[in-house]
Amino acid sequence: MDELDRFLEVQTPEPDLEQYTRAAAVLWAFDPFKLNPVSGDKGSVARDDVLSSLLPLCESVSNAAAEGLWTLLLPHRREALKALATREEMKKALDANPDRPQTTFQIMFEQLLAREDQNLDQLSRDELAATLEVLEWVEDILEGLPEETAVRSALARSDLVSPMERLAGEVFVGREEELVQLHAYVFGVGKSAAPLFVFGTGGVGKSTLLARFMLKDALTHDVAFAYVDIDRSIIRPDQPLTVLLDFIVQLYPQLGVAPEIADSIVKEITHAIARYESGRYFESAGAYIPVELIEFCARNVRQWLNGRTALLIVDTMEEAQFLGGDVMWPLVEFISVLDHSLEELRTILVGRALPAEYMNQFFNYLGVNTWSKDIEDPEILNSIPLPGRPLNLTELAPEEARRLLRFALPPDTGGTLSDEDLNDVIGLVGRNPMVLKLAARLMQDEGLEKLRSERSELFARLKAEKIQALLYGRILRHVHDDEVRKVAYPGLIVRRITPEVIRDVLAEPCKLELRQDYDAYNIFYRLAREKALIFMDAADNSLHHRPDVRRSMLEDLNDHIEPAVIKDIDSRAVEFYSKQTGAIARAEEIYHRLRLGENESILNERWLQEAAPLLQGAINEVAAEQRLWLAEHLNVTLDDATREAASQEAWEKQAARSADRYLNARLPEDALQVLHERATRLPRSNLYALETEAYRFLKKYDEALDIARKGVESASKAGAIDMAIELLLKMVVIEEGRGNLSSAEVFLKEADAVSAHSSDQILRLRVLITHVRLQRQLRPAEWEERAILKMEASAIVSDSTLRELRDYPVLLREVAAELSKQDSRIAAAALETLGVEVATDAQAEAFGRAVANVTNIDTPETIRSSVTAKGVDLDEIRKWAKEGLTSREARRLSSSVAALAADSTTLSDFREYFRAGVSSALKG
Amino acid sequence: MVLDGTQIVRLAEEIEAQSSVPNLTLQADSLGVNLPNIAPGLTLRESAIKLLDHLNSQVPPRTDEFLQLLTNGPNARLRTAASELLTPTFYSPTGNPHGAILLGRTAFVARDDLRSRLHEFTNYSPSTTRVLVIRGDKPGGKSYSWQFLRHLASVSGAYAVTLRLKGTSYTPRELFEQVFLLLGLNPAEIPTLTDDPQLTKIDPYINAFKGQLSKLTRRYWLVIDDINEKTVTPPVLNALYAIAYSVEDLKPANLWIALIGYNLPIADPDLRFIADDYAEFPTADLVGKHLELVAARGPNPLNTVRAQEIANLLFSKFPNPLDKEAMIKLTRLVESAGEKLERGLQP
């Protein structure tokens, strides 16, 4: 025992405790009051003696279902298992507790001990997860274990496949030709020039078809795949890099790639997303389509694939289409670049309608008007060679529809129906698979046993009351209860029906006769039974009309219902919902205010952001002017015709949104086209700034300055100080970017004078930092003047401002370029937000010099040695920054920089690195 | 709050020394727990362990209620023990709770990033984040993070609750139920999805969660732990992400969230304010500094060189890099060394 051991009084564990820990080590969980030791006294007295020593080595199982069970902490478990050392000893330890809980973990552990061969593809998700867990127990202790990487890959695959199994596990018939085309597209000789687009109406079975293809075909060919659903909240169609990120994150575990390797790539993508600053399009680093980044990812994925095929499915494209062309264009082009960058990749896009942007991007050579609805015309599509021809998924063939109905019904019943019966049903509901399945379910709900006893009567009722109504809106004729019928129509003016809505909103206008024995609740529950017309929203147990039925009924509402009744219902709904809180109530209140055509000030006052998702479906139900207001609040771009018909204010908002997206996507011509739809501008119009940026992208600097000057004058007249400063600063950087520093300083002085009247600290900081930068370039020797400016700027950069600057990455870079030598917090914050930027040689060289002297991170020796007096090995630096540096190390770099002393040489080097970044950004 | 094994044993031993079976039975009874049912024929110490484990397992855990009983009870030693567990003492060389290096007897070494990021929780404003992500899939202090979070929540007047996912295989709905229960919300408000939804369909749950946020009656720090466990499925991860997103987005008056072990990238531009931190085992240098600071609290301060020597000696007993077993043993040794140095003892 050495000096330290004596000091710490390190004790060897008691022999009795060891017998218990060894017993516990082979059990996933145990009851400490029933645990038997591996050997020795098994009595309760002995156990009581060790309990106080054993429990601190354990934690209780948090799952309430396993109350009273404890589990040994991993390090103690491994220590005990190391002591047991062999499978035989571990099995003996198991024998001490024959009544152990047989959890999945326990079973998988015992299988490992038994050396049972495990076909990983056959294991469930729980079993795979448990296998990974128990592998950790005996890693490096036992031989002959499954490869951890293989289990991880199987788990990743299982996570991706499970939703498909749920989908394709349903009834699936037909689609043989489509499956053949999918096979040819993915596995055929040579790669098609375009991603394959699968389109068709809702419920026609697009996702089911793809799930079927994946499970029965693609996965048996060892394809690695990613399923990116635009409907998921982490996917932002207006930020296509989120698609790339999801693609990488889904792919790497399937391919056995170590997380730290994938992490470097993920870090590059996430930082690229974070560098965008709204309004400063030109200086936000990055290109329209970040080709270099996509190719960098593609190169890595190619290595990972090692000859295998990768399949990318992008589902729910209609969500991107919904947002407008300015979102679709960059997304489609992005997907095109990705698809072309990786020979092994096959891309399948899925949506409800064939997008014009897709057709224009890939099939422009056909010479058809891709903006017309005719693009879905089979004649046009047939001119595209298979297998890359867009795949239009239509209704099932009659025989397939019959087969589906038979399969969808219970086996003992489906066979008893004749083809004629099935044809009758199909004749009423059509051959959409989802509707057919719904029809089968309705038939089943009515009680299939009656099909035998009261077959004709039941069948007639089904036809008459349910199925017929489902698609054709004829259900009203078959609603037997008068009051229920009145609630169904015109009650469908309200989108959510509850007993309270029936009583307070609908009762009077719909002339309902509510009685004590037949009140709003009776009507509500009767209405709920009309499943062909109504469904229940689980979010609040309210009833909704089926969207297809409601849409068709709303269209001709005015032909059948007096306008006064409609207005009465809308007004009562506003009154009803305005007294309630929460997103649902507010959404309904706004919906009815929109229907009433109330003015914007009221709507703005009542707006609640959380209500936005609940109002998306309303956009096509309200009048054009209200549609503009709603589109603005839903972040949706409307089509050209609607926009042109709008009032100036509404038009400017729409044009600004559209131009913003085009500029963000580096499409200045498209932005200008939108901005030039109208020549006039409101006094505080932010279109001046957007137009200035568009001209700047096009290198039409004089036009940019002209527009900015007009904007400054307009803003000044309107007293919009901040807007004037913003525009003047644009004028400064335009002149600075083209080397006219003196002219830039003139504009800056103007901005400086105006900014004295602004209370916006961020804007003031921007003016000061721009001033420091210009002064440094114009009068480098006059450091005293610069020091005063820097002092004023530094005073603004409090911790709180630094936090705010995370939302202004371009300004943060500029601040770091001027102030980081004196303030390491700024350098650290900039590194954390912007990541490492080595796009230009100057940036890479400056970064190499700076990082070579940081001691707390694992900078490879090759990097340190590559930095010599003569220069820096740029390739080495770039490779390490992009591929070697994980996000954790990048964070550590940021922390190390934060700890540097002010005015240190290393901090000075980092300042130079940020300056290289600013210089690069100003040149665009 | 949830007590760990060591805390349960220490409190049970104190109860054994200071109380009696009838007393404990009465106390359990006042909490609605029938002690003879859950601990038939056990000794006083064992019964206390059983009772504490039972209270720990409730959602939300009811251990606080029992500790409150003890703090109001007649026995001074039990009052002290319970108070210490309810409001753990801490030692910070600077006096600032963010700089605490001892939480009760637990050493909390280094973690400057975490300390710094939690300023956004304790000094909140509209521009501060409501969500903290503590990354790390290897032992490196993730569970110590919970203790630090609990400490800071306590000193800033918030209430920290933890949901551990280890060993669970929740569905998204079950996850929401647990969250509701922990936050004192009514799980009956979570809608029932009757239409055989895909597991990924969580919008109705999130809407229900958002709808209830205004009903939180106290300031909560909800800490969700073990997110890196293999049993946590992608739909549950999506649900956790959506919970975090909604809290960051809405910034409710009474809720902050820490996700421990969430290792997926977060590329959502709207979540750029989310603070994240990597839980890593401290280096020998950092442990040396820790020992120096702890010794400075006692009668026999150490100089920097000697403190570093002791830290190096501690680290030299284990392989480099440290494996999982070494980390936990080393942690215990650091704590033990710290306790002695604080008392003025030196090797």
Side-chain angles (χ1 to χ4, degrees):
Chain A
M1 190 179 280
D2 61 23
E3 179 200 16
L4 199 62
D5 282 344
R6 279 193 297 276
F7 171 65
L8 297 171
E9 295 169 7
V10 173
Q11 290 170 347
T12 47
E14 318 150 32
D16 284 354
L17 178 62
E18 269 185 6
Q19 299 306 315
Y20 280 92
T21 53
R22 287 178 190 183
V26 294
L27 303 176
W28 176 71
F30 59 91
D31 181 343
F33 296 93
K34 292 180 183 163
L35 181 70
N36 292 320
V38 168
S39 62
D41 187 353
K42 296 185 179 181
S44 60
V45 176
R47 186 164 48 232
D48 189 32
D49 284 344
V50 296
L51 206 55
S52 294
S53 310
L54 179 64
L55 289 188
L57 311 181
C58 305
E59 59 186 341
S60 69
V61 177
S62 49
N63 193 341
E67 187 190 321
L69 294 183
W70 289 65
T71 185
L72 202 56
L73 290 166
L74 182 66
H76 301 295
R77 183 190 293 280
R78 282 184 53 84
E79 194 172 7
L81 290 172
K82 266 184 189 163
L84 289 168
T86 65
R87 283 184 161 85
E88 287 62 39
E89 289 303 313
M90 290 180 197
K91 283 180 194 166
K92 277 186 204 162
L94 275 172
D95 292 341
N97 289 283
D99 294 332
R100 50 193 177 265
Q102 286 300 304
T103 61
T104 311
F105 292 98
Q106 191 65 40
I107 292 166
M108 299 322 285
F109 177 63
E110 291 178 26
Q111 284 187 10
L112 284 188
L113 292 189
R115 279 184 187 272
E116 282 175 25
D117 280 340
Q118 288 167 326
N119 181 349
L120 296 179
D121 290 339
Q122 302 292 316
L123 297 184
S124 69
R125 194 203 185 277
D126 284 352
E127 288 168 335
L128 287 166
T131 303
L132 263 183
E133 170 87 17
V134 298
L135 268 178
E136 214 174 348
W137 299 0
V138 287
E139 183 190 352
D140 304 328
I141 298 173
L142 295 180
E143 301 284 325
L145 299 169
E147 283 289 325
E148 187 196 323
T149 322
V151 185
R152 280 191 188 281
S153 298
L155 183 63
R157 211 172 169 82
S158 163
D159 282 339
L160 289 169
V161 166
S162 319
M164 295 187 178
E165 282 174 338
R166 278 198 299 277
L167 265 178
E170 291 178 18
V171 178
F172 186 90
V173 298
R175 308 297 193 199
E176 281 86 7
E177 280 180 27
E178 289 85 351
L179 288 166
V180 168
Q181 186 183 343
L182 286 170
H183 179 89
Y185 175 76
V186 176
F187 301 109
V189 181
K191 178 172 175 166
S192 294
L196 178 65
F197 206 106
V198 178
F199 67 102
T201 54
V204 82
K206 300 181 291 293
S207 300
T208 309
L209 170 72
L210 284 161
R212 182 76 170 185
F213 167 68
M214 290 300 303
L215 293 173
K216 300 291 176 191
D217 190 345
L219 291 179
T220 63
H221 287 79
D222 201 23
V223 159
F225 74 100
Y227 178 83
V228 178
D229 188 348
I230 293 187
D231 208 17
R232 280 173 64 210
S233 59
I234 60 167
I235 303 297
R236 300 294 186 91
D238 56 343
Q239 296 266 357
L241 280 176
T242 55
V243 174
L244 181 64
L245 187 65
D246 205 28
F247 174 62
I248 298 283
V249 167
Q250 289 190 40
L251 219 53
Y252 84 83
Q254 293 174 63
L255 298 169
V257 177
E260 53 274 20
I261 291 176
D263 179 76
S264 306
I265 293 160
V266 163
K267 168 208 73 183
E268 285 298 300
I269 305 171
T270 48
H271 277 138
I273 293 170
R275 284 176 201 142
Y276 167 72
E277 180 175 330
S278 178
R280 301 193 70 184
Y281 313 95
F282 193 81
E283 293 101 324
S284 292
Y288 158 40
I289 298 296
V291 177
E292 201 192 324
L293 179 59
I294 297 171
E295 288 177 347
F296 163 69
C297 294
R299 274 198 304 279
N300 279 279
V301 172
R302 182 172 303 120
Q303 272 186 358
W304 302 348
L305 285 168
N306 196 19
R308 287 168 69 180
T309 298
L311 178 56
L312 167 64
I313 298 172
V314 185
D315 202 353
T316 331
M317 287 290 286
E318 63 267 21
E319 289 293 321
Q321 286 174 268
F322 174 75
L323 292 173
D326 41 25
V327 168
M328 271 301 281
W329 271 119
L331 179 64
V332 167
E333 196 162 343
F334 176 89
I335 289 169
S336 169
V337 173
L338 177 61
D339 189 63
H340 287 128
S341 300
L342 186 58
E343 183 59 33
E344 295 87 341
L345 178 66
R346 302 292 181 269
T347 307
I348 298 177
L349 309 176
V350 188
R352 292 200 170 179
L354 198 54
E357 293 85 358
Y358 163 83
M359 289 299 283
N360 200 291
Q361 175 80 27
F362 297 106
F363 302 107
N364 212 10
Y365 64 86
L366 293 175
V368 296
N369 176 8
T370 52
W371 300 104
S372 111
K373 285 200 166 182
D374 295 342
I375 54 173
E376 292 183 9
D377 184 337
E379 273 191 32
I380 294 172
L381 295 183
N382 285 343
S383 63
I384 300 170
L386 287 169
R389 180 185 304 159
L391 199 165
N392 185 3
L393 212 55
T394 55
E395 291 187 325
L396 295 171
E399 172 52 29
E400 290 170 348
R402 282 194 295 274
R403 274 168 55 208
L404 187 140
L405 264 185
R406 277 194 208 284
F407 286 139
L409 288 165
D412 56 337
T413 337
T416 64
L417 297 175
S418 68
D419 279 358
E420 199 182 332
D421 295 330
L422 296 176
N423 285 342
D424 283 348
V425 176
I426 292 165
L428 289 170
V429 304
R431 288 177 268 130
N432 178 305
M434 186 185 76
V435 177
L436 285 167
K437 286 175 195 166
L438 186 59
R441 198 158 71 193
L442 289 173
M443 290 161 75
Q444 209 177 327
D445 286 349
E446 290 294 321
L448 280 166
E449 66 284 356
K450 286 187 187 169
L451 275 173
R452 295 186 193 89
S453 56
E454 305 160 44
R455 177 185 167 90
S456 55
E457 185 193 332
L458 176 64
F459 209 71
R461 244 175 60 213
L462 277 170
K463 282 181 196 170
E465 292 184 16
K466 305 283 182 182
I467 300 166
Q468 185 181 18
L470 177 66
L471 285 187
Y472 305 109
R474 289 184 229 164
I475 191 164
L476 292 173
R477 277 185 272 152
H478 303 283
V479 174
H480 295 121
D481 188 304
D482 288 345
E483 306 308 294
V484 172
R485 191 183 309 130
K486 286 178 197 165
V487 173
Y489 192 90
L492 83 166
I493 291 171
V494 300
R495 304 192 306 166
R496 311 178 89 87
I497 300 174
T498 61
E500 293 77 20
V501 168
I502 293 173
R503 188 187 59 218
D504 297 343
V505 178
L506 298 175
E508 280 197 41
C510 296
K511 299 187 171 58
L512 297 180
E513 289 175 23
L514 300 182
R515 304 184 302 268
Q516 201 168 10
D517 62 333
Y518 189 72
D519 61 10
Y521 286 87
N522 292 99
I523 294 177
F524 176 83
Y525 289 115
R526 281 170 191 251
L527 184 64
R529 290 210 295 265
E530 303 291 348
K531 288 181 181 161
L533 175 70
I534 294 289
F535 70 95
M536 183 173 276
D537 184 351
D540 63 350
N541 290 335
S542 63
L543 300 179
H544 294 231
H545 284 74
R546 291 204 169 272
D548 44 0
V549 177
R550 184 165 185 270
R551 206 163 29 243
S552 62
M553 285 179 162
L554 267 182
E555 278 167 11
D556 62 0
L557 191 70
N558 285 324
D559 296 341
H560 303 286
I561 307 291
E562 284 176 30
V565 173
I566 296 172
K567 193 176 173 188
D568 193 17
I569 293 175
D570 282 320
S571 303
R572 285 170 188 271
V574 167
E575 195 186 342
F576 175 77
Y577 283 115
S578 60
K579 291 174 191 160
Q580 300 177 29
T581 56
I584 290 174
R586 196 63 68 82
E588 297 317 298
E589 179 195 333
I590 290 169
Y591 171 73
H592 289 285
R593 286 188 189 278
L594 285 166
R595 285 182 50 85
L596 288 166
E598 291 192 355
N599 72 43
E600 286 192 10
S601 61
I602 296 174
L603 293 169
N604 289 337
E605 193 186 316
R606 299 302 295 160
W607 177 251
L608 184 71
Q609 191 54 41
E610 297 95 83
L614 302 167
L615 284 162
Q616 282 201 345
I619 200 153
N620 292 318
E621 291 180 12
V622 296
E625 197 161 338
Q626 281 72 41
R627 196 178 302 165
L628 274 164
W629 181 89
L630 189 55
E632 176 60 26
H633 286 73
L634 297 182
N635 213 16
V636 166
T637 308
L638 294 175
D639 57 79
D640 297 351
T642 313
R643 198 167 53 227
E644 279 167 26
S647 68
Q648 181 69 18
E649 189 182 348
W651 173 81
E652 286 205 1
K653 282 180 183 171
Q654 275 292 305
R657 174 183 314 292
S658 189
D660 172 83
R661 283 177 173 162
Y662 280 128
L663 287 174
N664 185 23
R666 303 290 191 271
L667 292 169
E669 291 95 344
D670 297 81
L672 281 179
Q673 196 177 335
V674 173
L675 294 168
H676 289 169
E677 279 174 8
R678 292 187 186 186
T680 53
R681 298 284 183 264
L682 293 170
R684 290 167 181 260
S685 173
N686 62 348
L687 300 189
Y688 290 113
L690 291 159
E691 200 171 344
T692 304
E693 285 283 289
Y695 280 123
R696 206 174 153 206
F697 271 112
L698 295 169
K699 300 197 188 313
K700 294 183 174 177
Y701 300 118
D702 292 334
E703 285 93 331
L705 288 172
D706 278 351
I707 292 294
R709 175 53 71 191
K710 279 183 192 160
V712 170
E713 283 165 13
S714 170
S716 303
K717 272 185 205 159
I721 294 170
D722 293 352
M723 203 177 124
I725 301 170
E726 182 80 42
L727 285 161
L728 283 164
L729 285 172
K730 281 197 189 301
M731 295 167 80
V732 172
V733 289
I734 287 169
E735 290 293 38
E736 188 186 356
R738 58 175 176 173
N740 297 340
L741 296 182
S742 304
S743 173
E745 195 176 32
V746 172
F747 294 135
L748 181 66
K749 281 183 179 161
E750 205 178 331
D752 201 14
V754 182
S755 80
H757 304 287
S758 170
S759 59
D760 184 335
Q761 286 293 290
I762 292 289
L763 210 47
R764 178 69 194 148
L765 179 63
R766 213 171 127 195
V767 170
L768 284 166
I769 287 297
T770 310
H771 203 155
V772 174
R773 190 172 67 240
L774 270 186
Q775 195 273 351
R776 175 167 52 77
Q777 296 172 82
L778 282 165
R779 295 179 291 281
E782 293 180 20
W783 60 270
E784 283 179 339
E785 179 193 354
R786 202 153 56 245
I788 293 169
L789 288 169
K790 280 185 180 180
M791 208 182 299
E792 197 184 337
S794 296
I796 297 176
V797 189
S798 62
D799 282 347
S800 156
T801 311
L802 207 49
R803 258 180 232 131
E804 249 186 281
L805 283 176
R806 292 181 295 201
D807 209 20
Y808 300 89
V810 173
L811 177 58
L812 180 56
R813 190 193 293 117
E814 291 171 344
V815 173
E818 302 306 328
L819 301 184
S820 59
K821 190 186 167 196
Q822 287 81 34
D823 191 340
S824 61
R825 289 174 316 142
I826 298 173
L831 280 170
E832 192 179 318
T833 301
L834 302 161
V836 175
E837 301 176 278
V838 287
T840 66
D841 288 355
Q843 284 175 298
E845 163 129 22
F847 178 71
R849 288 194 185 286
V851 82
N853 294 320
V854 180
T855 50
N856 288 353
I857 58 163
D858 300 328
T859 315
E861 193 45 44
T862 49
I863 298 293
R864 295 191 200 279
S865 59
S866 87
V867 180
T868 65
K870 285 183 186 171
V872 175
D873 184 338
L874 299 182
D875 289 341
E876 195 71 35
I877 292 291
R878 286 209 172 94
K879 190 169 165 38
W880 178 67
K882 285 187 172 178
E883 296 172 44
L885 196 64
T886 62
S887 54
R888 179 185 295 207
E889 284 158 352
R891 167 61 53 76
R892 205 179 284 157
L893 171 65
S894 164
S895 299
S896 301
V897 168
L900 291 171
D903 294 317
S904 66
T905 315
T906 309
L907 216 40
S908 176
D909 289 340
F910 272 104
R911 185 190 62 183
E912 292 310 310
Y913 156 69
F914 292 121
R915 282 184 181 170
V918 171
S919 169
S920 160
L922 284 173
K923 286 173 190 153
Chain B
M1 65 176 291
V2 176
L3 300 181
D4 64 24
T6 307
Q7 290 169 321
I8 287 179
V9 165
R10 282 180 184 160
L11 184 57
E13 283 172 348
E14 202 69 73
I15 289 170
E16 184 182 34
Q18 305 294 326
S19 188
S20 63
V21 171
N23 263 345
L24 188 66
T25 308
L26 270 178
Q27 283 163 332
D29 201 42
S30 71
L31 296 173
V33 178
N34 187 329
L35 192 61
N37 266 3
I38 63 164
L42 296 181
T43 64
L44 174 56
R45 183 164 57 99
E46 289 173 332
S47 299
I49 289 174
K50 266 284 185 193
L51 175 63
L52 289 166
D53 187 30
H54 173 77
L55 296 171
N56 252 355
S57 309
Q58 309 303 302
V59 184
R62 298 183 61 206
T63 330
D64 286 24
E65 295 173 43
F66 179 66
L67 294 175
Q68 291 290 0
L69 273 183
L70 294 183
T71 56
N72 295 329
N75 187 293
R77 284 185 64 103
L78 285 177
R79 277 205 307 269
T80 308
S83 300
E84 168 69 17
L85 288 168
L86 277 172
T87 320
T89 53
F90 71 93
Y91 168 63
S92 164
T94 60
N96 183 331
H98 288 268
I101 58 170
L102 293 175
L103 307 167
R105 298 184 192 184
T106 305
F108 192 72
V109 184
R111 305 294 297 276
D112 287 346
D113 280 352
L114 179 65
R115 296 173 196 275
S116 151
R117 281 163 212 289
L118 280 170
H119 277 105
E120 295 201 41
F121 274 35
T122 52
N123 302 306
Y124 51 93
S125 72
S127 70
T128 51
T129 180
R130 292 307 184 91
V131 179
L132 168 72
V133 173
I134 298 174
R135 298 178 185 276
D137 54 6
K138 296 192 170 108
K142 291 199 301 296
S143 50
Y144 277 65
S145 308
W146 152 243
Q147 297 200 37
F148 187 67
L149 282 159
R150 186 175 157 247
H151 146 73
L152 268 190
S154 169
V155 296
S156 67
Y159 184 60
V161 289
T162 181
L163 171 60
R164 298 204 58 192
L165 300 181
K166 186 179 171 62
T168 65
S169 48
Y170 292 137
T171 62
R173 186 190 168 80
E174 289 163 344
L175 177 87
F176 276 92
E177 283 170 355
Q178 296 291 316
V179 167
F180 269 57
L181 287 168
L182 281 171
L183 297 178
L185 300 171
N186 182 3
E189 300 290 343
I190 304 172
T192 307
L193 301 184
T194 52
D195 197 21
D196 189 20
Q198 293 188 14
L199 283 177
T200 50
K201 189 175 173 187
I202 54 170
D203 287 359
Y205 302 146
I206 281 291
N207 286 338
F209 175 68
K210 286 179 180 173
Q212 296 295 306
L213 287 177
S214 61
K215 296 186 181 165
L216 295 175
T217 50
R218 59 197 297 188
R219 217 144 47 80
Y220 282 100
W221 288 16
L222 171 63
V223 181
I224 305 181
D225 201 353
D226 308 316
I227 296 169
N228 54 315
E229 285 290 311
K230 297 101 191 168
T231 49
V232 177
T233 60
V236 169
L237 277 175
N238 283 340
L240 287 166
Y241 179 88
I243 288 173
Y245 180 87
S246 60
V247 170
E248 184 67 10
D249 185 37
L250 298 177
K251 294 198 191 297
N254 280 329
L255 185 59
W256 282 254
I257 288 196
L259 302 178
I260 303 185
Y262 187 93
N263 292 324
L264 288 181
I266 297 173
D268 192 329
D270 290 344
L271 289 183
R272 74 179 67 180
F273 289 165
I274 277 196
D276 60 4
D277 169 64
Y278 283 100
E280 287 180 298
F281 200 81
T283 60
D285 286 354
L286 294 169
V287 168
K289 277 181 197 157
H290 171 80
L291 295 179
E292 186 185 347
L293 289 169
V294 171
R297 194 186 184 194
N300 194 5
L302 276 178
N303 65 41
T304 306
V305 176
R306 183 65 183 136
Q308 197 56 58
E309 272 174 16
I310 297 174
N312 291 342
L313 266 173
L314 285 170
F315 273 73
S316 70
K317 300 170 82 66
F318 300 97
N320 185 17
L322 296 169
D323 60 20
K324 294 163 190 170
E325 295 93 306
M327 284 181 190
I328 201 149
K329 282 184 187 164
L330 188 52
T331 304
R332 296 254 157 92
L333 291 181
V334 169
E335 284 174 354
S336 164
E339 278 179 32
K340 289 184 191 308
L341 291 169
E342 201 182 334
R343 298 209 309 265
L345 303 173
Q346 287 190 11

